[in-house]
Amino acid sequence: MVQGTANWNTEITKEWLQSYVDDWVQFYKKETKEGKVASYIPVLKKADPNLLGITIIGKDGMNIQSGDVDTPFTIQSISKIFSFIVACMERGVSYVLDRVDVEPTGEAFNSIMHLEMRKLKKPFNPFINAGAITVTSLLNGKSSEEKLEPIFQLFTKILGYRPCINEDVYVSERETSVRNRAIGYYLIELGYLESALELTLDTYFKQCSIEVTTEDLAKLGLVLANDGIDPQTAEEIIPRNVVRLAKALMLTCGMYDASGKFAAYVGIPAKSGVSGGIIATAPPRVRKETLPFIEGCGIGVYGPALDDKGNSIAGIKLLKHIATKWDLSVF
Ligand SMILES: NC(=O)CC[C@H](N)C(=O)O
């Protein structure tokens, strides 16, 4: 039985929150049975569909972890937030937005349809594959290592360690991703790719194969919640205007063609990936009563069993429950 609505008006202790989150994770874990792990990247099929884990980190350092938090997974589409951020920092926001729009598509992330419609001025947003591949082509550098280095540096600064690329996933995607290649060819024809196709795709596959944990996603989400400033060091890691754009895109386009429902029922900027990860970022709220994580928090979720839109099936339900109980919505 899920514990009911609490009166959060008493002092909020870590133990107390932990017991709630443990209870909720256990409750939603059975929902994993309703989903399926991604299979179009062959290695992703090896994931255990029963897993569900979450990490929540507050601005004050409160760190709640529950469920299967020790299994690393590849970041996949969540990387699109950070390639977009780095491209904006390297090339300037207006340069990037001249080449990708900020409109949701209502289509699947790997849809080609809009590229074929000649009315299109530019890819709809940086979180669909067409937009993300375009953004990756804008990154400075002559090799995939050079292009990815600023992303790795950003991660290293926030996470306190340098994450690795999962070679098996990278090779598996590189060898099977005919659709991303097709998108790449369309982008060449339309004049959007600024670096060679092979280099761009190779960089894109590698960025998607960076291995992370729910704690890593929570730390990244916390910096976004805190307007780009690292709460521990007070250093501005990402400029405010770039973070604002990234979060607006997460809210409108982050959960594929379920983004509208997620905004309506959960109400926090979030981004998911096909490996089953979700990053969410809850900004500070202004309320009289005391609520958990009132100063904002970052959340990382892992649950590889996906729903029919490609989002972690149990992860979404867990996030919805937590956001409702703790009133995390930005609206
Ligand atoms: N939605 C995703 O996470 C997709 C990322 C995956 N690497 C792809 O390009 O197909």
Side-chain angles (χ1 to χ4, degrees):
M1 190 41 205
V2 177
Q3 295 181 34
T5 310
N7 170 12
W8 301 110
N9 262 328
T10 37
E11 201 199 334
I12 294 167
T13 64
K14 179 173 158 64
E15 291 66 33
W16 200 41
L17 292 182
Q18 182 75 51
S19 76
Y20 273 98
V21 176
D22 285 344
D23 192 29
W24 295 337
V25 168
Q26 279 317 308
F27 184 83
Y28 285 104
K29 209 172 158 102
K30 62 179 184 301
E31 298 289 338
T32 58
K33 302 260 175 302
E34 306 301 317
K36 283 201 185 78
V37 299
S39 57
Y40 76 101
I41 300 174
V43 167
L44 293 184
K45 264 190 282 188
K46 291 188 190 162
D48 177 353
N50 303 308
L51 299 182
L52 180 64
I54 187 166
T55 299
I56 309 164
I57 305 180
K59 196 180 167 190
D60 59 358
M62 171 108 70
N63 184 325
I64 307 282
Q65 309 206 359
S66 191
D68 304 298
V69 290
D70 295 327
T71 309
F73 52 93
T74 50
I75 190 166
Q76 295 299 338
S77 275
I78 299 168
S79 69
K80 294 169 181 172
I81 305 170
F82 299 97
S83 52
F84 173 73
I85 286 173
V86 167
C88 288
M89 289 167 71
E90 286 182 346
R91 309 298 294 266
V93 168
S94 55
Y95 189 90
V96 175
L97 295 188
D98 279 348
R99 287 154 182 82
V100 282
D101 215 328
V102 289
E103 289 300 338
T105 63
E107 302 297 334
F109 64 90
N110 54 5
S111 168
I112 291 180
M113 196 171 79
H114 290 103
L115 290 177
E116 247 234 315
M117 295 166 135
R118 293 298 161 154
K119 278 181 288 178
L120 176 79
K121 298 278 190 307
K122 47 192 170 187
F124 269 57
N125 68 66
F127 293 172
I128 54 165
N129 286 13
I133 293 169
T134 301
V135 167
T136 298
S137 85
L138 303 180
L139 296 172
N140 290 333
K142 293 191 169 50
S143 63
S144 59
E145 286 72 28
E146 279 178 27
K147 277 177 171 285
L148 292 178
E149 186 54 28
I151 298 179
F152 275 108
Q153 282 180 13
L154 187 84
F155 283 180
T156 305
K157 213 178 241 185
I158 297 172
L159 306 182
Y161 82 102
R162 189 181 169 98
C164 295
I165 290 173
N166 180 319
E167 277 296 311
D168 288 348
V169 174
Y170 156 62
V171 170
S172 183
E173 179 160 4
R174 191 188 62 197
E175 286 176 2
T176 54
S177 189
V178 283
R179 181 171 272 265
N180 281 331
R181 210 159 276 282
I183 290 172
Y185 280 112
Y186 269 116
L187 290 169
I188 297 180
E189 193 195 41
L190 297 168
Y192 289 120
L193 282 199
E194 288 210 2
S195 58
L197 179 64
E198 282 312 315
L199 168 61
T200 307
L201 287 177
D202 200 48
T203 309
Y204 174 76
F205 299 146
K206 282 182 181 159
Q207 80 179 53
C208 289
S209 304
I210 295 173
E211 207 163 62
V212 289
T213 62
T214 58
E215 184 169 32
D216 294 338
L217 294 184
K219 286 181 180 168
L220 294 165
L222 177 60
V223 170
L224 298 178
N226 202 34
D227 289 341
I229 295 169
D230 184 330
Q232 276 183 322
T233 60
E235 183 191 352
E236 184 182 87
I237 297 181
I238 307 164
R240 169 81 180 104
N241 63 328
V242 176
V243 175
R244 188 188 299 140
L245 259 176
K247 286 194 283 193
L249 283 161
M250 288 166 78
L251 192 81
T252 53
C253 318
M255 306 302 281
Y256 315 127
D257 41 332
S259 300
K261 284 191 182 58
F262 194 84
Y265 301 127
V266 185
I268 44 179
K271 176 84 202 83
S272 63
V274 278
S275 56
I278 306 177
I279 185 174
T281 171
R285 285 101 77 218
V286 187
R287 291 291 294 257
K288 283 206 187 78
E289 70 264 48
T290 312
L291 289 163
F293 299 103
I294 195 81
E295 290 182 301
C297 61
I299 306 177
V301 176
Y302 177 54
L306 308 178
D307 62 19
D308 57 353
K309 304 281 190 196
N311 293 310
S312 171
I313 191 160
I316 291 233
K317 291 183 176 169
L318 177 63
L319 272 176
K320 182 179 173 197
H321 189 85
I322 292 176
T324 307
K325 293 290 177 202
W326 295 353
D327 196 17
L328 295 179
S329 172
V330 299
F331 299 108

